[in-house]
Amino acid sequence: MFLGLLALLMLGPIGVLAFGNLDLDTPWHMTSRESTRQAPSPAAERGAVVQVYGARIVRWRGAFGIHPWIAVKRTGSARYTTYHIVGWRARRGGDALVTSEVDAPDMQWFGAYPQLLADHRGAHAEALIDQIESAVAAYPWRASYRLWPGPNSNTFVAWVARQVPDLRLDLPPTAIGKDYLGPTTFIDHAPSGTGWQLSLLGLAGVTVAQDEGLELNLLGLGFGIDVDDMALRVPGFGRLP
């Protein structure tokens, strides 16, 4: 039964490989990093902005998961600050956290179009930025990285979201690593802050929350039903419809 369920869940990533729009041929250094124009220009939007993006990982791994990042802009600022985790930095003994000042935080992730996962503006966003900056500074796994089951880039964004529940971040099941709570923590808030999750090292668990709905995790593959959005949560594809 376990192997049968695992094979069924693998149909999602296989379907993305077969029918999705993944670019399996273009070398990563030749892919696009252009803006997708989802973020407001600082010249047009003078107020504070907080956004979270997620885009498919490069090549075949994109059939399984996404790479997320957080973008913030304070009131009156001319640029955005982005935060994300890059694995090779930790593997070389450095700090995996990358903080950048950018004009447009909505760039393609090496050719993959990013999905806007959260968007806050104005005074509410300004209040969130202080909390986000404190959470980013306190992230406990900056010197370690594991693509699966975590800690990875999705673990980082999910961890920040748990510290800042007003962010209301509902990460899709393709955010593999979001369920990793650490080696000694097995129960915590859901990333959206609207419920709870039980997780065993990110390898198995369950999330029950208003925003996420009911999501089960088996070896990092998330599946369930999102009653709030009337959608299925499936591996590979994320949310359907």
Side-chain angles (χ1 to χ4, degrees), residues 6 20 32 87 98 103 113 116 135 146 166 182 184 190 211 219:
L6 186 61
S32 173
V98 177
D103 296 319
Y113 192 94
L116 181 60
R146 241 183 349 210
D166 286 342
T184 60
D211 288 358
L219 298 182

Side-chain angles (χ1 to χ4, degrees), residues 52-53 66-70 83-85 117 132 135-136 139-141 149-165 167-172 175-182 188-193 197 199 207 212 215 233:
V52 181
Y53 291 93
I66 63 170
H67 174 84
W69 59 94
I70 301 170
Y83 304 99
H84 67 131
I85 291 291
L117 302 175
I132 290 171
V136 168
Y139 179 64
W141 300 296
N152 58 25
S153 58
N154 288 300
T155 307
F156 164 69
V157 172
W159 194 90
V160 171
R162 291 189 189 95
Q163 315 311 306
V164 190
L167 188 59
R168 290 295 292 266
L169 179 60
D170 179 2
L171 286 166
I176 295 176
K178 66 181 175 64
D179 300 315
Y180 180 82
L181 303 177
D188 205 340
H189 294 284
S192 70
Q197 69 177 132
S199 181
T207 299
E212 287 92 346
E215 181 178 306
R233 303 173 70 92

